[in-house]
Amino acid sequence: MMKYMSKLISGILIAVFSMGVVAQTKLPPGWQSTLVKVTSDGKLVYYPDKQGNTIPDFSRVGYHHGDISIPHYPITKIVYPIENGDNRQHIQNAIDEISRMEPDKTGHRGTILLKRGVYHIYGSIRITVSGIILMGEGENINETRLLAKGTERFTLIQVNGSGRIEEIPGTRTKITDTFVPVGTHSFHVSSSSNYKVGDRIIVYRPGTQNWIHDIKMDQIVERKGTRQWTAQEYNLSFEREIVKIEGNCIYIDNPIVMQMDEKYGGGEIFKYTFAGRISEVGIANMCLESEFEHYEDNHHAWIGVQFDKVENCWARNLTCRYFGYAAVSCERYAKNVTVANCRCLETKSIITGGLRYSFNNWGQQNLFMNCQSTEGRHDYVTGARVCGPNVFYNCTAFQTYADIGPHHRWAVGTLYDNIITDGEINVQDRGQMGSGHGWAGVTQVLWNCRAKRAAVQNPWTSGNNYNIGMKGQKYPGHFTNRPEGIWEGQNELNVFPRSLYIAQLMARHKNMDLLILMK
């Protein structure tokens, strides 16, 4: 563990210095938000609003919550490209062979190295068991290059477990607090007798009709195809782990990212299992490409890498070119996935709704960092009813055709940290857009981003959205009569700390002094 921590802290230091977080003599003293500050003695302090809500701690995302580095293992099997033929089965056979091996104590079965060369692939490569790493010798087109061929939409590399979340009968317990604010790590329950430290639980926030009515999502101005929201669609399940119990007070690893209010049904917890979920799968160091016939071709490979029903997995150092939808997509049951140093370049599909979501997230506690996108629409985006926390950190998007941000139907708890785009970043009521997108999200935090312009609105009830230190134009949004979100430090030159995610991660690992950011 200490070895992993040492690597992690070293990586953070490199990131901090390379981003220029260390103060420069020509810059004025750092500007700080009133909501979260680094104090003179180097502590990260949060300032609650009148209800007790704070900006939450987003640091426990990605592979093993950011507590250990992505591991390196020796090569188990080497695969060479077949020059004239389909390499899919060739690679799949190697994966299947490793899948039959017993995992070691870390959960690792084996690492497959795809040697430099071009691999023609017809159809999807599938990884369905834990502990397999598929890696190449580099992400340049002249290194390890997988070329997806054919005229059907498919995912080039699928990493999918099986099963679903199953509630353990008899464990559901009512949260007794009349109000649980955003940012807290604890709450009281009617009885903690069924629980112990280490239990995995669902923090359940029910959808209720009076809540739907109060956020006016049963009153969406209709056009053809518009669906009003219904309560049963908005039962939200946040995956958490118990870290401490004091009497009937439960402490959890990741914070509450949406208010739980007694008048809207409060909340409950229950234990769960997910037997088919897989882990410790990595995809790295490759160039993934799709064949295409023309710029708006909709019939070719669609996604580079897709994760679902997984936890503690990663994709890194991938260059994805010409796909129709996404470079990497984390689906509903993808949890604690790190997507790092990946590129989604020159997307090929019609420029319209539902297409070109370069880095797409529907899961929980996922981290997208140091990624790049060109010619996308929604480059860093979440879907409907996404339960955070999730983080997009230090990413860029250029030649973009739409906006970055929560796309529709109430994504909860996302940090957009140091995102740079030549387009827009929006958090707003999307109303009748699509089939009735409505409120895109709550507890959406933009920190030190740069955009052409941004709209950040607050929903009518149940929380806030934030834009802290953005460089760019402020505009009202698609609907101009909505409550304004919380804005601070627009166009400030020296936002401090430059990265909220890095500052929170460093503060959590107490052997790292936040004052290093100020020197």
Side-chain angles (χ1 to χ4, degrees):
M1 179 66 75
M2 289 305 298
K3 178 178 70 174
Y4 288 133
M5 284 303 307
S6 176
K7 289 181 179 179
L8 178 68
I9 297 302
S10 297
I12 291 171
L13 275 173
I14 291 169
V16 167
F17 279 87
S18 66
M19 288 176 62
V21 175
V22 177
Q24 301 176 28
T25 57
K26 294 183 180 180
L27 288 176
W31 172 89
Q32 293 210 61
S33 166
T34 65
L35 303 171
V36 55
K37 294 183 177 182
V38 179
T39 64
S40 59
D41 58 351
K43 294 181 180 179
L44 195 63
V45 178
Y46 302 84
Y47 297 87
D49 63 18
K50 293 179 181 179
Q51 293 181 299
N53 303 297
T54 64
I55 289 180
D57 181 354
F58 288 95
S59 70
R60 293 172 174 84
V61 296
Y63 181 74
H64 285 281
H65 302 288
D67 289 335
I68 64 174
S69 298
I70 293 171
H72 295 273
Y73 294 103
I75 303 302
T76 309
K77 187 174 181 64
I78 296 176
V79 174
Y80 294 87
I82 300 171
E83 292 187 8
N84 298 308
D86 183 5
N87 283 264
R88 189 198 68 81
Q89 194 60 54
H90 185 42
I91 296 171
Q92 191 65 55
N93 289 342
I95 292 170
D96 294 345
E97 178 184 335
I98 301 298
S99 298
R100 293 188 289 269
M101 295 181 177
E102 289 296 319
D104 64 17
K105 62 181 181 180
T106 69
H108 178 246
R109 281 186 164 86
T111 298
I112 300 167
L113 176 65
L114 304 183
K115 295 291 287 184
R116 181 179 285 103
V118 179
Y119 297 74
H120 292 181
I121 309 291
Y122 294 80
S124 297
I125 298 165
R126 292 181 170 85
I127 298 176
T128 59
V129 299
S130 298
I132 295 175
I133 298 171
L134 186 65
M135 63 182 297
E137 289 192 311
E139 70 271 28
N140 188 281
I141 60 171
N142 296 317
E143 295 172 312
T144 299
R145 181 179 170 206
L146 273 58
L147 179 60
K149 300 177 71 69
T151 57
E152 301 292 329
R153 294 185 183 184
F154 65 95
T155 296
L156 182 52
I157 301 175
Q158 288 187 344
V159 183
N160 288 348
S162 61
R164 55 183 292 177
I165 288 175
E166 299 283 353
E167 179 176 350
I168 297 177
T171 64
R172 189 173 286 240
T173 305
K174 182 70 176 175
I175 294 173
T176 58
D177 299 291
T178 58
F179 184 85
V180 182
V182 170
T184 186
H185 286 77
S186 65
F187 45 77
H188 294 85
V189 295
S190 56
S191 174
S192 64
S193 60
N194 280 335
Y195 297 95
K196 65 181 185 304
V197 172
D199 281 345
R200 293 192 171 198
I201 62 170
I202 295 295
V203 177
Y204 177 82
R205 193 272 184 191
T208 62
Q209 195 55 50
N210 64 323
W211 175 71
I212 295 288
H213 183 73
D214 285 355
I215 61 171
K216 303 184 180 182
M217 291 294 95
D218 57 354
Q219 307 158 53
I220 302 171
V221 176
E222 295 201 13
R223 66 177 187 177
K224 185 178 179 180
T226 298
R227 287 192 301 110
Q228 305 295 334
W229 290 16
T230 59
Q232 63 269 23
E233 293 179 287
Y234 291 85
N235 297 325
L236 303 178
S237 296
F238 300 86
E239 296 189 59
R240 298 291 187 265
E241 183 175 324
I242 296 176
V243 296
K244 184 169 68 171
I245 299 175
E246 292 181 346
N248 286 329
C249 186
I250 300 287
Y251 292 79
I252 53 178
D253 59 340
N254 257 302
I256 297 297
V257 290
M258 179 181 171
Q259 300 171 1
M260 289 186 289
D261 194 327
E262 187 177 53
K263 71 179 179 180
Y264 295 131
E268 299 173 314
I269 64 172
F270 57 83
K271 291 192 282 189
Y272 73 98
T273 59
F274 200 147
R277 185 179 251 169
I278 64 174
S279 62
E280 303 299 333
V281 176
I283 311 296
N285 303 339
M286 287 184 278
C287 177
L288 310 180
E289 280 193 9
S290 172
E291 275 195 334
F292 65 96
E293 293 186 358
H294 53 83
Y295 186 79
E296 293 188 338
D297 185 2
N298 271 3
H299 301 285
H300 60 104
W302 215 235
I303 299 173
V305 180
Q306 182 183 58
F307 293 98
D308 198 15
K309 302 179 180 180
V310 305
E311 66 178 337
N312 296 322
C313 294
W314 69 90
R316 66 175 180 179
N317 301 333
L318 302 178
T319 296
C320 300
R321 297 159 59 92
Y322 313 136
F323 289 88
Y325 184 73
V328 182
S329 185
C330 290
E331 306 302 329
R332 177 71 67 190
Y333 297 110
K335 175 178 174 286
N336 288 110
V337 175
T338 291
V339 179
N341 307 317
C342 293
R343 288 151 291 284
C344 184
L345 306 178
E346 302 177 75
T347 307
K348 297 293 183 281
S349 62
I350 294 174
I351 304 170
T352 190
L355 306 180
R356 301 187 180 219
Y357 290 35
S358 309
F359 292 93
N360 180 51
N361 181 56
W362 289 73
Q364 303 192 28
Q365 302 173 41
N366 297 325
L367 170 64
F368 295 75
M369 64 182 296
N370 305 332
C371 294
Q372 303 169 24
S373 175
T374 64
E375 300 184 56
R377 290 184 64 254
H378 302 296
D379 298 280
Y380 305 102
V381 63
T382 54
R385 301 175 295 277
V386 175
C387 296
N390 291 290
V391 173
F392 295 96
Y393 160 66
N394 196 35
C395 299
T396 63
F398 294 104
Q399 296 173 267
T400 185
Y401 291 103
D403 60 355
I404 289 167
H407 187 46
H408 64 118
R409 293 185 178 86
W410 207 255
V412 182
T414 315
L415 173 63
Y416 297 86
D417 186 332
N418 281 269
I419 305 301
I420 299 175
T421 177
D422 58 7
E424 300 178 3
I425 307 177
N426 294 322
V427 184
Q428 61 181 328
D429 180 6
R430 293 173 56 84
Q432 77 272 48
M433 294 182 189
S435 58
H437 286 175
W439 281 109
V442 73
T443 318
Q444 305 293 298
V445 181
L446 279 56
W447 187 277
N448 200 21
C449 295
R450 185 185 297 270
K452 179 180 178 181
R453 66 177 189 172
V456 177
Q457 301 172 338
N458 274 347
W460 301 106
T461 187
S462 295
N464 300 309
N465 294 310
Y466 306 84
N467 193 350
I468 311 299
M470 190 200 78
K471 297 169 183 64
Q473 177 188 349
K474 177 180 180 181
Y475 86 106
H478 185 80
F479 298 100
T480 59
N481 62 341
R482 303 301 191 262
E484 188 174 283
I486 296 173
W487 288 67
E488 287 188 340
Q490 184 183 2
N491 293 319
E492 287 285 347
L493 294 178
N494 191 19
V495 176
F496 177 75
R498 181 167 179 181
S499 166
L500 179 63
Y501 167 69
I502 293 295
Q504 290 176 329
L505 189 64
M506 293 169 71
R508 187 157 61 85
H509 296 294
K510 292 183 172 57
N511 58 337
M512 196 69 178
D513 191 340
L514 271 171
L515 282 174
I516 194 170
L517 293 173
M518 304 179 74
K519 294 179 180 178

